[in-house]
Amino acid sequence: MSSALIQIKGLKKHFQMGGNIVRALDGVDLEIPEHTLTVVMGPSGSGKSTLLYLLGGLDRPTSGEITVDGERLDQMDENALALFRRKTMGFVFQSFNLVPSMSAQENVAFPMQFAGVASVRRNEKSRYLLEQVGLGDRGHHTPSELSGGQQQRVAVARALVNDPALILADEPTGNLDSQSGVAVMKLLSGLPKTRRTTLVVAHAPPQAGVATHRIF
């Protein structure tokens, strides 16, 4: 049986809006087993993306504990968090977040620069990952020359480039047509076989069919 890669205890995130306090998360307890694909579903405003951003160390909790791969994120300073993200996490966003002036291959290779990987290795690995996501012949194309589905597959390849244990995907099919969305979810569904843990935030349930675990 898989052990938990993510453990959350009493997690709260409150926002001040005018004279009101919005309780985006209000005492969440959660465990995510390693080597699984967990889909978190719920309507807009239910705190799904807030949870994802807290897990990714992109935002700070109001209170509570977040443990990822044995490390307490809520106790880290910004420098430690940045290093931990680089080593442990890959991100896939709804809006792709590719650099428009870079080719697909350069976008995939980009995170390796911060990790100090030599350029020859960066080129090899980015080419390999583009082939893995079915875009081996699109490496020199810029994002504007790719379809939405192709851009998201580039983003998935980029998320994998530093061999993270955890992939966090925020509405990864939200800007795609249904066929492209199915292709991207199929790609993500194969990640547990590579001993990665994937957490996907999804607005609607259809794309949850590939999940090993579901949270509402």
Side-chain angles (χ1 to χ4, degrees):
M1 185 175 173
S2 294
S3 60
L5 185 83
I6 297 169
Q7 292 176 304
I8 294 170
K9 294 179 183 174
L11 187 62
K12 296 185 179 183
K13 181 63 179 181
H14 297 170
F15 299 96
Q16 188 82 33
M17 291 189 72
N20 299 319
I21 293 176
V22 177
R23 291 173 169 82
L25 298 173
D26 205 25
V28 175
D29 297 314
L30 195 59
E31 288 196 352
I32 307 286
E34 62 182 354
H35 313 151
T36 57
L37 190 154
T38 298
V39 175
V40 180
M41 285 174 285
S44 294
S46 59
K48 304 184 304 296
S49 292
T50 300
L51 175 66
L52 197 83
Y53 277 61
L54 290 172
L55 283 174
L58 300 171
D59 199 0
R60 294 285 196 176
T62 303
S63 62
E65 299 179 9
I66 306 171
T67 304
V68 178
D69 203 17
E71 301 283 346
R72 280 280 298 275
L73 267 61
D74 54 287
Q75 295 181 340
M76 292 182 185
D77 63 23
E78 294 303 324
N79 289 337
L81 265 178
L83 188 61
F84 186 74
R85 275 197 303 267
R86 188 191 311 159
K87 287 177 7 190
T88 311
M89 301 176 187
F91 294 89
V92 182
F93 298 98
Q94 180 176 345
S95 54
F96 318 137
N97 285 8
L98 301 177
V99 181
S101 59
M102 289 184 175
S103 68
Q105 187 175 329
E106 288 167 339
N107 266 287
V108 174
F110 192 48
M112 286 188 283
Q113 289 183 315
F114 297 103
V117 178
S119 62
V120 172
R121 176 64 181 144
R122 293 201 304 265
N123 289 334
E124 283 175 358
K125 193 163 186 185
S126 54
R127 279 198 300 267
Y128 168 76
L129 282 169
L130 283 173
E131 285 170 10
Q132 293 299 106
V133 300
L135 294 174
D137 57 344
R138 294 284 192 274
H140 297 296
H141 292 236
T142 60
S144 64
E145 297 169 326
L146 300 172
S147 70
Q150 289 171 332
Q151 289 183 64
Q152 195 58 298
R153 281 188 276 157
V154 172
V156 171
R158 180 185 59 189
L160 296 172
V161 80
N162 282 334
D163 295 317
L166 176 62
I167 300 291
L168 297 171
D170 189 12
E171 299 274 11
T173 62
N175 285 339
L176 305 180
D177 61 72
S178 57
Q179 188 176 356
S180 298
V182 168
V184 167
M185 284 305 292
K186 191 173 179 184
L187 198 58
L188 293 173
S189 74
L191 295 180
K193 299 186 190 77
T194 63
R195 302 187 69 75
R196 289 187 177 89
T197 305
T198 306
L199 187 75
V200 178
V201 159
H203 182 68
Q207 61 232 45
V210 295
T212 58
H213 294 68
R214 296 171 188 81
I215 297 167
F216 293 90

